[in-house]
Amino acid sequence: SFTLGAVVQPVRELSFTIDYYNIKKTDVITGAPLSAQALNAYYAGEELPEGYSVVLNPADPAFPTGIRTVATVVGPYANASSLKTSGIDFSALAEFRLAENVRFSSQIEASRILKFSFVPAEGEEAQEYVGTQGPYILSSGAGTPKWRGNWSNSLEVGPTTLTATAYYVSGYKNIAEDISGAGAREDCAAAGDLYDPEMCYTDDFITIDLVGSYEVNENFTFYANVLNLFDAKAPLNAPNYAANNYNPTWSQQGAVGRFFRIGANVKF
């Protein structure tokens, strides 16, 4: 692995950081690395890979003689061939004193995943996860959005502080190559076992939080928060199995909706 980074501060009030990382692992321990092959073999009526079996769902009452669907693939742990990840992290911070008791600060943080590539076993084709729902099994369907970031703006006037923060997660294809096989990301129809192909894509998600506080003294502070200020709705993500039709990893606030917190912090 290696990382490269830089910090730039052209003036005292403004600074930037950028970091690039590149990681490669070999002999990675993973559970049931040939799950996709086992699924394909079962539905094709072929022999499953050695050491693999499937747990089936009950028969469909409307089609009692039809092939039963797979609930779980059971397979051994194995040292998979390799895992490669790389990406860029960026941040920018600006801080200004507008008056003796007035300060303003603005900070942006962003991460771009460039590569998340997994080879399940020696001789197998690499599975690519960036911008997709994969790794479906490992992440409980969370997936790997290309972009994540937040932008925070804070105004301090004497003992009062008001901060607005916007959070962003980029959309992704409802495809997972650890389920549908390497190359499926290029063709939504190839991953139809996960979802209706007409719902191929999960939209971006943006939410904004507003946080205010008033410091009475060093031991007592009032606060009031409005989270998900504009009541953003979680985008539809039918394949996710950690929640019902949305992705709780990236859009939980969109399922909860706008909510408020009012309270006080006391130090003794």
Side-chain angles (χ1 to χ4, degrees):
S1 66
F2 67 91
T3 61
L4 298 172
V7 178
V8 180
Q9 190 171 12
V11 294
R12 184 179 62 180
E13 295 83 5
L14 187 62
S15 63
F16 303 90
T17 68
I18 186 168
D19 293 279
Y20 169 79
Y21 64 87
N22 189 301
I23 302 169
K24 178 180 178 179
K25 297 180 180 180
T26 57
D27 295 327
V28 179
I29 298 175
T30 183
L34 302 182
S35 293
Q37 292 87 329
L39 275 174
N40 292 335
Y42 168 76
Y43 287 117
E46 300 172 354
E47 184 177 353
L48 274 62
E50 183 179 357
Y52 283 75
S53 62
V54 292
V55 178
L56 301 178
N57 289 311
D60 187 339
F63 301 94
T65 61
I67 186 170
R68 292 166 62 184
T69 57
V70 175
T72 307
V73 175
V74 180
Y77 284 94
N79 289 91
S81 179
S82 65
L83 171 67
K84 295 180 181 179
T85 59
S86 64
I88 296 174
D89 296 325
F90 169 82
S91 70
L93 174 64
E95 296 181 297
F96 303 97
R97 183 179 292 276
L98 305 179
E100 183 176 352
N101 292 321
V102 181
R103 294 172 59 90
F104 174 78
S105 63
S106 182
Q107 183 171 17
I108 294 177
E109 297 178 329
S111 296
R112 169 67 159 92
I113 300 178
L114 300 174
K115 191 174 188 64
F116 188 169
S117 178
F118 180 67
V119 178
E122 187 174 354
E124 295 290 324
E125 188 177 351
Q127 300 170 0
E128 304 292 345
Y129 298 144
V130 177
T132 75
Q133 192 96 25
Y136 193 71
I137 299 171
L138 180 64
S139 69
S140 297
T144 309
K146 290 182 180 180
W147 284 97
R148 286 180 291 156
N150 64 80
W151 181 22
S152 178
N153 292 277
S154 184
L155 180 66
E156 299 179 35
V157 181
T160 304
T161 301
L162 185 65
T163 302
T165 305
Y167 299 92
Y168 172 77
V169 177
S170 63
Y172 45 89
K173 285 185 177 181
N174 300 336
I175 290 173
E177 294 197 352
D178 56 329
I179 294 295
S180 301
R185 68 191 181 281
E186 304 298 339
D187 181 10
C188 285
D193 54 330
L194 279 186
Y195 64 95
D196 183 335
E198 294 184 0
M199 296 187 293
C200 175
Y201 193 78
T202 295
D203 292 334
D204 302 352
F205 181 64
I206 300 174
T207 185
I208 297 174
D209 293 345
L210 189 63
V211 177
S213 66
Y214 181 83
E215 185 177 334
V216 179
N217 54 51
E218 62 180 12
N219 297 320
F220 195 84
T221 302
F222 288 108
Y223 67 85
N225 307 336
V226 185
L227 305 182
N228 194 0
L229 177 65
F230 296 107
D231 198 24
K233 305 302 183 185
L236 176 66
N237 182 224
N240 193 279
Y241 62 95
N244 187 16
N245 287 330
Y246 76 96
N247 192 328
T249 302
W250 311 119
S251 55
Q252 179 64 28
Q253 283 192 327
V256 175
R258 182 190 300 113
F259 61 104
F260 304 85
R261 290 177 178 166
I262 299 175
N265 292 325
V266 181
K267 297 179 182 179
F268 297 97

